[in-house]
Amino acid sequence: RGTMTVGDLAKLLHKDASEVIKKLISLGVMATINQELDMDTILLIASEFGVEVEVKIPVEEDTFETVEEVDDEADLTTRPPVVTIMGHVDHGKTTLLDAIRSTNVTGGEAGGITQHIGAYQVEINQKKITFLDTPGHEAFTLMRARGAQVTDITIIVVAADDGVMPQTVEAVNHAKAAGVPIIVAVNKIDKPDADPDKIKQALTEYELVPEEWGGDTIFVNVSAKQRLGLEELLEMILLVAEVNDYKANPDKRARGTVIEAELDKGKGPVARVLVQHGTLKIGDAFVAGNTFGRVRAMVNDKGRRLKEAGPSTPVEITGLTEVPLAGDPFMVFEDERKARAISDRRSIKQRQSELGANSRVTLDDLFKHI
Ligand code: GDP
Ligand code: MG
């Protein structure tokens, strides 16, 4: 990721190239005058010389998260709802996610090896539902903290033999704060001491009033373990989706959110991405957080290789230069050069805020070298 040479940097800092080289060596970087330096090194050297580099970032180049694209109503098509399962520990989130996933091995999908890609899709009545596979409030909170809104509907699981617990309340608050509709799954109804009405009663305190009591919250009794009520739960999700009419434009460059990412020994950096707008294609150049790449391969939750992935589709992609973070925005650009330039600008901005403000010198033309 070369941007400017040691010589260029020395000139900008009004230093001798030998001074810069000495500084580099003291930092463990062997360099010659014509060596290209990456942005991190440039910023580090500048700060070593007591110079804070302020990079001018053209506004139109930095519209990554801020610009809300406006789609023509006519270009929008219905997309599957994206659902998160939350609730208190041991109330059955994982069991429910697993039960739903295996409920839905339709003929067409048989033989597909389920793959952990951070989310999965099920199909019921020819309609798809996307489930985020990361129960756990941290993931949800982390993504929200990073400004990512990925969930359309939250299922709050409450064990019928237990009750409304601190993390139940937390989940309710998260969903409300995010403005996401809630469906309550009263779980473990197979247990002899299950008391679903007690749960309903307790949740009225949090303004979750069941429809049969005059409220507008959907409650479904389920047993994740014995697979009871799962179909009804899925149908209720589709009902909420229908009412809210979730839509996206599939005919544009993809945009979405990184759900998970890691460094795979064999594959290199991998990211599990939820496509939210547009269609992601093999070969697309993209930015994910501060990193960039080009989609080399895409695999869905059934382990199937895809050439394209439309709105609400979770995919695992390879072809990244580095590992992004969960919650990072993901966006396709017209070419790799542009994607790289944007990710560089983002890295610089981050570096700058990390380095903090000391003495301040503006190096306006730093970017002329990119
Ligand atoms: P999580 O912490 O919310 O992910 O909860 P788990 O899915 O790990 O479930 C916690 C425990 O409750 C496990 O021992 C499950 O087998 C059990 N469990 C989950 N759902 C049910 C259910 O519907 N009925 C019964 N009897 N046990 C359940
Ligand atoms: Mg669990």
Side-chain angles (χ1 to χ4, degrees):
R1 289 229 245 165
T3 51
M4 67 195 310
T5 65
V6 170
D8 294 335
L9 178 61
K11 238 178 263 167
L12 279 167
L13 294 171
H14 303 293
K15 301 281 170 197
D16 224 48
S18 64
E19 284 183 77
V20 173
I21 291 172
K22 245 190 248 157
K23 190 62 85 180
L24 281 164
I25 290 170
S26 78
L27 295 168
V29 181
M30 295 299 151
T32 61
I33 188 158
N34 292 319
Q35 184 137 342
E36 294 212 317
L37 297 171
D38 62 29
M39 276 302 163
D40 278 354
T41 310
I42 291 167
L43 291 169
L44 186 62
I45 292 296
S47 75
E48 285 285 315
F49 282 112
V51 174
E52 194 210 331
V53 180
E54 187 190 347
V55 184
K56 296 277 169 163
I57 298 167
V59 174
E60 69 276 11
E61 299 285 18
D62 196 44
T63 52
F64 196 66
E65 301 123 306
T66 47
V67 166
E68 188 68 53
E69 336 136 48
V70 183
D71 287 301
D72 244 329
E73 191 65 30
D75 295 331
L76 298 177
T77 55
T78 299
R79 60 170 180 82
V82 179
V83 181
T84 315
I85 296 187
M86 297 209 285
H88 198 72
V89 65
D90 283 343
H91 280 198
K93 298 177 294 293
T94 303
T95 311
L96 185 60
L97 271 164
D98 289 347
I100 292 169
R101 169 185 258 142
S102 58
T103 285
N104 195 248
V105 184
T106 59
E109 300 289 3
I113 305 149
T114 54
Q115 182 116 341
H116 174 80
I117 62 160
Y120 64 83
Q121 278 191 327
V122 298
E123 202 175 307
I124 177 169
N125 309 334
Q126 278 97 51
K127 288 185 178 127
K128 286 181 173 151
I129 303 173
T130 303
F131 282 89
L132 288 190
D133 217 354
T134 38
H137 299 224
E138 298 97 83
F140 193 84
T141 312
L142 182 79
M143 287 204 197
R144 290 230 323 127
R146 301 179 63 76
Q149 174 91 3
V150 290
T151 311
D152 297 311
I153 299 168
T154 294
I155 307 291
I156 295 184
V157 178
V158 193
D161 64 334
D162 195 2
V164 172
M165 301 297 280
Q167 284 172 280
T168 316
V169 176
E170 207 180 294
V172 172
N173 290 337
H174 278 316
K176 281 189 175 172
V180 172
I182 293 169
I183 295 175
V184 180
V186 180
N187 190 32
K188 307 199 187 184
I189 51 155
D190 59 286
K191 285 207 160 182
D193 51 345
D195 187 354
D197 273 355
K198 193 187 86 187
I199 306 298
K200 286 180 183 166
Q201 186 60 55
L203 282 173
T204 58
E205 269 188 52
Y206 303 92
E207 288 149 38
L208 299 177
V209 182
E211 290 177 313
E212 64 266 34
W213 294 358
D216 57 6
T217 304
I218 297 173
F219 281 73
V220 184
N221 288 344
V222 300
S223 165
K225 201 170 189 172
Q226 299 195 353
R227 302 162 162 278
L228 303 171
L230 300 186
E231 201 148 313
E232 191 191 342
L233 179 62
L234 296 178
E235 279 165 7
M236 288 304 143
I237 292 168
L238 287 177
L239 186 74
V240 173
E242 218 173 285
V243 169
N244 288 285
D245 199 15
Y246 303 114
K247 286 185 166 177
N249 177 2
D251 297 317
K252 60 180 185 182
R253 284 197 281 266
R255 195 171 166 135
T257 301
V258 175
I259 311 167
E260 296 178 353
E262 66 185 21
L263 188 62
D264 183 277
K265 274 199 203 105
K267 294 182 267 192
V270 272
R272 285 112 198 195
V273 174
L274 177 70
V275 178
Q276 294 173 283
H277 307 273
T279 296
L280 184 62
K281 297 171 184 151
I282 297 280
D284 276 350
F286 63 83
V287 174
N290 291 343
T291 186
F292 72 101
R294 181 180 280 282
V295 179
R296 194 166 6 149
M298 266 197 287
V299 177
N300 73 4
D301 57 314
K302 277 98 188 168
R304 191 158 299 155
R305 279 177 170 264
L306 302 182
K307 289 201 174 86
E308 293 191 349
S312 297
T313 311
V315 283
E316 180 178 281
I317 61 167
T318 53
L320 300 106
T321 44
E322 283 167 65
V323 180
L325 299 172
D328 270 343
F330 176 93
M331 194 175 184
V332 169
F333 286 91
E334 57 262 43
D335 58 41
E336 198 166 337
R337 221 178 53 93
K338 172 98 175 173
R340 176 181 172 151
I342 302 256
S343 88
D344 276 347
R345 281 172 173 79
R346 292 169 62 80
S347 315
I348 290 158
K349 273 177 78 175
Q350 192 187 322
R351 277 299 285 182
Q352 281 184 323
S353 61
E354 282 167 11
L355 287 171
N358 296 322
S359 62
R360 193 165 261 271
V361 167
T362 305
L363 301 181
D364 276 348
D365 47 0
L366 189 56
F367 268 111
K368 289 187 187 144
H369 297 269
I370 294 183

